[in-house]
Structures are given as structure tokens and as C-alpha cells.
Amino acid sequence: MRKGCRVRPRSTDEIRSCANTLRRMVKGTNLGSFIELLLSGGWLHVLPDNDPKFIYAEGLYSPAERCIFLRESDYTHCIDGTNPRSLFTLAHEIGHMVLGHDKSLSRETNQNVEHPLYADSEWQANTFAAEFLMPLDEIRRLNLMFPEQLVEKFGVSWEAAYYRLKKIKHLI
């Protein structure tokens, strides 16, 4: 059983290309400035942590409103770098937006429809977040082989770094 909605199938290479394109577009912009750009453009809305939208999710992308909703605490953590999971959450939601996912996943509804992994919205958004935050070219160029190296270089959580390296088979 997959975690997300069925969406247009995409390969890891296609998702990597989308992440690299966005990274090139924001190159030279620090993360705080990029987040502020999302806010000022209306693509990101910061809501109180106890908002009902967050009962089943840490963040969410609304295709109908073409914007991301993020908890206030996660927004603060992204700006000040105090919780790497919040950064992954934001990048994951950006992935839904960039990849054009047109369905919102509601964790309260039962997702009984089986579909291939590469057509799963959550897999695609997670893959996008990993590619955007921890670019494969940088990992290879710098010969990063251990999660601690990715944590230091990219400011991600140890868990995100571990799974990223496992996926690209760099763990020894």
C-alpha cells in the first residue's frame, strides 16, 4: 500500500531534474530569503501550530489554493535552522507544488487504491525534497559517504541523510 495519491508517474531522474532547476533558480539566495519570497508571493502561508489543518500533517500543499501551509513552529525552525525535520517538511511540500500534484492527501481518509511507487505523490515529494536539499552532484563531487557529512554540509536531519545515502547506495 502506498502512502499518497496516485499521480502522473515520474522517475527519480525526472524529479532530480525538477529539483535541480529550482535550485538553479534560487542559487545565491539564502534559505531565509527564499522562504520570504514564497511568503510574499502568496505560495506559503504560516498558520498557528494548533490550526485544524495540521491534525494529520506537519505541513500541506493545497492544489486548489496553489499554496503551502506550514505550522508557525516549523516556519521558525526553517528560518533559524533549529529543526532539520522542518526544513524537509517544507521541501516536501514545495515538491508537491513543483511537481504539479493536483490532489490533496487527507490522512483521515483511507487510501485503498494500489499504485506503483513512481506514481505515488508522497514518494515523489520525498524524493524531490531529498534531491533539492542534498543534491546528488554535490554528494558525489565532495565524496560524502556518511550521514554526518550530509548533516554538516546540508543542514538536514541524520535520518534524512541516512536514507538519502542508502537510496543512492553510498553507505559502506
Side-chain angles (χ1 to χ4, degrees):
M1 191 74 64
R2 302 297 176 213
K3 292 181 183 179
C5 300
R6 183 182 186 97
V7 293
R8 182 174 78 77
R10 292 180 190 266
S11 68
T12 300
D13 287 343
E14 184 179 356
I15 295 168
R16 180 177 302 126
S17 177
C18 292
N20 287 339
T21 297
L22 181 60
R23 195 176 319 93
R24 278 192 303 275
M25 290 171 63
V26 299
K27 188 174 179 114
T29 304
N30 70 38
L31 182 61
S33 297
F34 177 58
I35 294 170
E36 293 303 317
L37 178 67
L38 292 173
L39 270 171
S40 65
W43 297 296
L44 174 64
H45 295 279
V46 178
L47 302 176
D49 286 10
N50 62 355
D51 189 286
K53 288 184 186 307
F54 303 118
I55 290 174
Y56 298 101
E58 295 174 40
L60 61 97
Y61 169 64
S62 169
E65 298 168 87
R66 298 207 37 86
C67 69
I68 295 166
F69 294 98
L70 196 64
R71 294 184 302 194
E72 188 172 11
S73 61
D74 286 314
Y75 168 77
T76 300
H77 293 312
C78 286
I79 297 296
D80 66 20
T82 55
N83 184 349
R85 183 175 173 89
S86 297
L87 182 59
F88 196 90
T89 296
L90 177 58
H92 173 98
E93 299 307 331
I94 291 170
H96 284 303
M97 184 180 342
V98 168
L99 297 172
H101 294 164
D102 60 357
K103 296 177 190 167
S104 285
L105 176 64
S106 173
R107 299 258 187 238
E108 58 195 347
T109 61
N110 191 0
Q111 300 291 320
N112 287 327
V113 180
E114 186 65 32
H115 50 271
L117 185 64
Y118 54 83
D120 185 76
S121 63
E122 292 302 295
W123 176 83
Q124 288 185 9
N126 281 335
T127 300
F128 178 90
E131 295 288 344
F132 183 72
L133 296 173
M134 301 170 274
L136 181 60
D137 291 345
E138 285 271 312
I139 293 170
R140 287 186 174 153
R141 184 176 65 78
L142 298 172
N143 196 30
L144 304 177
M145 298 174 56
F146 301 100
E148 295 80 7
Q149 293 172 308
L150 273 68
V151 168
E152 185 176 330
K153 172 68 179 161
F154 302 116
V156 296
S157 69
W158 189 91
E159 292 80 8
Y162 173 82
Y163 287 112
R164 176 70 169 138
L165 289 172
K166 185 176 177 181
K167 183 174 180 179
I168 59 177
K169 297 175 180 36
H170 272 62
L171 284 180
I172 295 173

